[in-house]
Amino acid sequence: MTFFLGYMEGGNKMDTKKIDAKIRHILIPAILENAFLILSDMILTGYIGRLTISEISAYGISTRIYGIYFSILKGFGIGAMVVFARAFGSKNKEKGLLYYKQALIISLFVAVIAAVGIWLFPNELLSTMSTDSRLLTYGASFLKVHVLAYPLLAIIHLNSAVFQADGNTKTPLYIATIGNGISVVLGYILILGFGPVKGLGLYGAAITNNVRIIVMMLVGLYLLFAKNGMFDRVKIEKPIFNMDMIKDVLKFGVPTAIGNSFWNFASVFLSTFILTYGEKFYAAYQIGLQAEGFCDMMASGFLTASMALASQAIGANDEKMYKSAYQRLSFYCLIISGINMIFLLLFSKQVLYLLTDKEELVAIAHVYLLLMVFSQFPEMKSKVLYGYIRSAGLSTLPTVIDTIGIWGVRVFLCYLVSTVLKMDIVWIWWIINADQWVKYLLSLLVFVVKKLINYLSVSPYKVARCSGR
């Protein structure tokens, strides 16, 4: 059992009720936020699904561009959360605000440059996925409008990271709920039309998403800086531009942004490999991913919780909290992964029938979901280990591990199985499992070899903490 939970030591007798309350305070809102996001995405997809086939396909390839952009900025925010949480753990909100502003300078600069590139060259980007002139025309038109709000995502993700670094996942939940509500209501009116309002199709979808992004950004800034906000009355006496802080933000933010975007890049290749088996297998895989959304929903929050609690403990130099949080998060991983396994084994087929009425697709997707039972624990526990590894300042190692797992195992072996050896598609599902186990075992190895459970007492790390890094 110790092997699966990770390296643990005795002598950690902190009040488990207190730490459990902190974990639940973070996990439950994160689960609800992801649940609402999945629901609103399904509804929005339903609206798009009533347009022409060309528009539907164009929307699909365009959102891949958005997904890569989104994941990079979100990953940067997740990485920056380490320095935010350390500042809050040491009860220094001024330092936290300074770090926030450094992160904002960096991410907005990158976000604007990337958005301009997408606006100028939408056809070139989309042509990497399709050569159909109709799809390129529709997709480019969609991106030209949608990309106008892209840079604001940098602010949204950093706002969310600040709240989460303080252990507050309820506020990001409220902000996301408002945004998702806008998508559902405004999306119906602008995409399909309502009463005298004529539907705008893909333009309506782009405008809807832009309005959602603008509102979420404004609400987040208000809750941070308005009266009684998190940074209300926090004054900065030091220069806003601080090179040492920028280096800290880059150290944690850049590797996480790269690692977080890997899946979006790899999914392009994986889709190509699965399509070699035929369109029905690819369609079944997409349906299976939607059904698997329940598992993703339940697993959400573990990375946030581990990074926030570990970084806060480091900032406060609280060894008991640091160790106890790890042990309790490991325990919750077992519980939640068990729930996910039961869902996949007993209820996944019923969910598939809600998503499609085609028996052949259900049969293929159900095999995929049954085999994903083996991925639940390693995928979830890796999130906890990644959080502790990043909080300890080893920010590049999770990216290295992701590179090995996603590209060295998943992409390479899927190419080998599908294109070279032409083996049954079931081997693709097993490779996906292997990817999760490789990443888990490598992250566990790092955790044990680096003795991260003793981070607050091992001398090399003491030096790092004393230097402010």
Side-chain angles (χ1 to χ4, degrees):
M1 181 65 71
T2 301
F3 173 78
F4 285 102
L5 291 179
Y7 186 78
M8 303 170 73
E9 284 193 356
N12 190 355
K13 299 185 181 297
M14 183 180 182
D15 184 1
T16 56
K17 288 185 178 179
K18 182 178 178 180
I19 198 67
D20 281 356
K22 285 188 174 183
I23 292 172
R24 289 194 298 269
H25 183 73
I26 295 173
L27 285 182
I28 293 175
I31 290 172
L32 291 175
E33 179 185 349
N34 205 33
F36 292 150
L37 177 63
I38 291 171
L39 180 61
S40 66
D41 281 350
M42 289 179 67
I43 294 173
L44 194 62
T45 300
Y47 299 158
I48 300 293
R50 287 169 170 78
L51 303 178
T52 67
I53 294 176
S54 294
E55 287 176 304
I56 296 169
S57 299
Y59 179 78
I61 62 174
S62 299
T63 51
R64 286 186 182 274
I65 304 296
Y66 172 76
I68 293 170
Y69 188 99
F70 181 95
S71 64
I72 291 173
L73 293 179
K74 183 176 178 63
F76 185 83
I78 291 172
M81 192 170 71
V82 172
V83 293
F84 300 155
R86 287 190 181 186
F88 299 148
S90 62
K91 309 299 181 185
N92 192 336
K93 282 196 172 182
E94 180 186 349
K95 188 176 182 180
L97 179 55
L98 268 172
Y99 269 127
Y100 170 82
K101 292 189 174 182
Q102 312 312 307
L104 200 57
I105 292 169
I106 298 166
S107 60
L108 271 177
F109 175 77
V110 174
V112 170
I113 295 298
V116 170
I118 294 172
W119 193 85
L120 290 175
F121 307 106
N123 288 84
E124 288 79 359
L125 292 169
L126 293 170
S127 63
T128 61
M129 292 173 280
S130 175
T131 56
D132 189 309
S133 60
R134 289 176 301 173
L135 298 191
L136 295 179
T137 300
Y138 281 127
S141 299
F142 173 82
L143 282 178
K144 283 273 190 177
V145 177
H146 196 206
V147 76
L148 297 176
Y150 279 15
L152 302 183
L153 289 169
I155 303 175
I156 291 174
H157 290 314
L158 287 176
N159 290 347
S160 181
V162 167
F163 289 120
Q164 291 170 344
D166 198 35
N168 175 9
T169 53
K170 286 185 178 180
T171 299
L173 167 62
Y174 299 149
I175 296 171
T177 301
I178 293 171
N180 293 332
I182 289 172
S183 289
V184 171
V185 177
L186 189 62
Y188 182 87
I189 297 172
L190 294 183
I191 296 172
L192 300 177
F194 182 76
V197 179
K198 185 179 179 181
L200 299 175
L202 283 184
Y203 285 110
I207 294 170
T208 297
N209 283 325
N210 288 357
V211 172
R212 176 181 62 86
I213 290 170
I214 292 169
V215 170
M216 289 176 67
M217 183 269 295
L218 291 174
V219 172
L221 289 176
Y222 177 82
L223 294 175
L224 278 179
F225 295 101
K227 186 177 180 181
N228 299 321
M230 190 170 173
F231 289 135
D232 180 29
R233 299 181 182 178
V234 177
K235 296 181 180 180
I236 298 179
E237 298 179 356
K238 301 177 182 179
I240 293 179
F241 189 83
N242 186 304
M243 184 54 68
D244 287 335
M245 285 188 163
I246 284 180
K247 289 178 180 178
D248 282 340
V249 172
L250 289 172
K251 174 185 175 181
F252 289 98
V254 172
T256 312
I258 294 172
N260 200 56
S261 64
F262 273 177
W263 163 244
N264 287 278
F265 285 107
S267 64
V268 175
F269 291 93
L270 191 60
S271 297
T272 303
F273 301 151
I274 294 175
L275 277 168
T276 62
Y277 292 92
E279 288 189 10
K280 71 175 182 180
F281 287 96
Y282 181 72
Y285 172 63
Q286 294 299 315
I287 293 170
L289 287 177
Q290 290 188 42
E292 200 180 3
F294 172 84
C295 301
D296 295 334
M297 174 188 76
M298 296 298 290
S300 64
F302 276 98
L303 178 60
T304 299
S306 62
M307 289 183 67
L309 293 173
S311 298
Q312 285 176 19
I314 291 170
N317 197 25
D318 189 340
E319 187 173 5
K320 287 186 176 180
M321 176 184 172
Y322 180 85
K323 289 185 176 182
S324 182
Y326 175 75
Q327 293 178 3
R328 298 308 296 168
L329 283 167
S330 297
F331 170 75
Y332 279 107
C333 274
L334 283 176
I335 299 299
I336 301 299
S337 59
I339 292 173
N340 284 354
M341 290 176 187
I342 291 172
F343 163 77
L344 292 173
L345 288 170
L346 301 181
F347 305 107
S348 58
K349 180 172 279 191
Q350 290 86 331
V351 173
L352 289 171
Y353 277 118
L354 294 176
L355 298 173
T356 182
D357 58 354
K358 296 175 175 60
E359 289 281 352
E360 59 179 346
L361 297 186
V362 170
I364 297 168
H366 191 230
V367 173
Y368 165 78
L369 291 175
L370 289 178
L371 292 181
M372 288 307 104
V373 167
F374 297 97
S375 288
Q376 298 310 305
F377 174 77
E379 182 178 7
M380 207 171 299
K381 185 59 188 294
S382 294
K383 296 179 188 293
V384 175
L385 292 167
Y386 277 18
Y388 269 73
I389 292 169
R390 288 193 174 110
S391 298
L394 305 173
S395 53
T396 59
L397 286 179
T399 304
V400 172
I401 293 170
D402 279 337
T403 302
I404 295 170
I406 294 176
W407 295 99
V409 176
R410 186 177 299 210
V411 174
F412 174 71
L413 292 182
C414 284
Y415 165 75
L416 197 63
V417 163
S418 63
T419 307
V420 179
L421 301 177
K422 301 187 183 301
M423 299 170 69
D424 191 271
I425 196 170
V426 171
W427 286 100
I428 299 283
W429 314 150
W430 282 117
I431 290 169
I432 292 173
N433 276 315
D435 167 31
Q436 298 296 349
W437 278 97
V438 166
K439 288 188 289 190
Y440 162 61
L441 293 174
L442 288 176
S443 58
L444 179 59
L445 180 65
V446 169
F447 189 82
V448 173
V449 170
K450 295 291 185 179
K451 300 180 180 178
L452 294 187
I453 196 66
N454 294 317
Y455 176 81
L456 288 170
S457 58
V458 176
S459 56
Y461 300 124
K462 284 184 177 180
V463 174
R465 293 200 315 279
C466 292
S467 69
R469 299 297 182 86

